[in-house]
Amino acid sequence: MELIIFLIIGALAGFAAGLFGVGGGTIIVPLLFIVFTKMGYPADTIMHLALGTSLATIVVTSISSLMAHNKKGGVIWSVFKNLTPGMAIGSFVGAGIAGWLSGVHLQVMVGLFLLWVAFTMFKGGKKQTATNANDKTLPSTPKQLAAGAGIGVASAIFGIGGGSLTVPYLTRYGVVMQKAVGTSAACGLPIAIAGALGFMVFGMKAQVTVPNTIGFVHIYAFLGISIMSFFTAKVGAKVAHMLSPQLLKKCFAVLLMVIGSFFLVKGLL
């Protein structure tokens, strides 16, 4: 039964990864939070396990989504190279910060963050999006490196693969939505690898006693979600290129609003 649940989560997460370029974390984290709670895991480690496992699975979903978007020319590789170093370092550091925070604090932070991103994305969806991606309109390389570090730290703390920050960051500077989603999918890979390693390391230092885990990463959940999400991410990516940029932004905002409200309520109550 647990494996079936993890496979279902993977199917939903993979589709979201391809559609929104978010690595599936916005789906994986709340669903794993519910599942781990039902499994009776220690309350103060559930959120950490959900975040760490989410980042581990995003390694797989990002590869699948990246390949699908790259085939359609949706990845701006020059931007990827500028953002990646900062993202990797920031994600590892962010995992350490998340390990230090309590589960309740993480829930409230994730909820508020996703609601803020939903608001900014929905507002941005009303504006006309550029028809051609032009990475020359982006800030200088050092500024992109710094932005990548900030995105990496936040992504590890929120377990979301960076899409919720990378996509708005790129669209803000005139990158068309489909290009922003594709580039975000590529950027999710270094974030996920560094973040997952960080949650493993800091989880082992915290001496987590939950079975079938390496630090704050649940092995069975990782395997089940990764297997299914690898295939469904490709479907999501195809759908993304069939929708208008404005519609995609609004759908993305609604998804984040629902998930953000869930975590905010859970954390405050």
Side-chain angles (χ1 to χ4, degrees):
M1 180 60 69
E2 290 179 7
L3 180 58
I4 294 176
I5 292 174
F6 293 143
L7 289 173
I8 293 174
I9 294 175
L12 295 173
F15 183 78
L19 184 62
F20 301 118
V22 296
T26 50
I27 298 295
I28 296 172
V29 172
L31 292 180
L32 283 182
F33 179 87
I34 295 173
V35 172
F36 290 157
T37 300
K38 295 295 184 180
M39 293 173 70
Y41 290 166
D44 203 43
T45 64
I46 290 176
M47 194 65 184
H48 298 83
L49 282 171
L51 294 172
T53 305
S54 172
L55 284 170
T57 61
I58 289 171
V59 173
V60 179
T61 58
S62 291
I63 293 174
S64 178
S65 182
L66 162 61
M67 292 190 299
H69 282 288
N70 189 48
K71 286 182 180 179
K72 296 181 178 293
V75 180
I76 308 176
W77 289 106
S78 59
V79 175
F80 171 80
K81 293 177 181 178
N82 291 337
L83 293 174
T84 292
M87 285 180 165
I89 296 173
S91 184
F92 189 85
V93 173
I97 296 174
W100 175 75
L101 293 170
S102 71
V104 173
H105 289 154
L106 283 174
Q107 290 174 41
V108 174
M109 290 175 64
V110 170
L112 290 173
F113 168 74
L114 293 180
L115 287 175
W116 173 77
V117 174
F119 172 75
T120 57
M121 286 297 291
F122 188 80
K123 185 173 64 174
K126 297 179 180 179
K127 299 178 181 179
Q128 182 65 34
T129 307
T131 56
N132 294 305
N134 184 0
D135 55 2
K136 293 183 180 179
T137 63
L138 290 163
S140 63
T141 298
K143 289 183 178 180
Q144 288 186 50
L145 183 65
I151 292 172
V153 171
S155 298
I157 293 176
F158 304 134
I160 52 176
S164 299
L165 281 173
T166 307
V167 172
Y169 173 75
L170 294 176
T171 55
R172 176 183 179 184
Y173 292 101
V175 177
V176 70
M177 186 62 178
Q178 280 86 347
K179 292 279 188 177
V181 169
T183 305
S184 171
C187 290
L189 185 57
I191 288 175
I193 292 174
L197 289 175
F199 272 100
M200 288 180 183
V201 171
F202 296 113
M204 287 187 287
K205 288 184 177 180
Q207 298 181 338
V208 178
T209 58
V210 177
N212 305 316
T213 61
I214 300 178
F216 288 126
V217 176
H218 193 287
I219 302 303
Y220 289 166
F222 162 72
L223 293 175
I225 294 172
S226 298
I227 291 171
M228 186 60 73
S229 62
F230 183 83
F231 299 102
T232 57
K234 296 178 181 179
V235 178
K238 291 181 180 179
V239 174
H241 287 270
M242 296 168 57
L243 300 176
S244 69
Q246 291 79 13
L247 178 60
L248 197 55
K249 277 189 175 183
K250 290 178 180 179
C251 291
F252 186 45
V254 170
L255 174 65
L256 294 181
M257 188 176 299
V258 172
I259 303 301
S261 298
F262 167 81
F263 275 121
L264 188 59
V265 171
K266 290 289 293 183
L268 294 176
L269 295 181

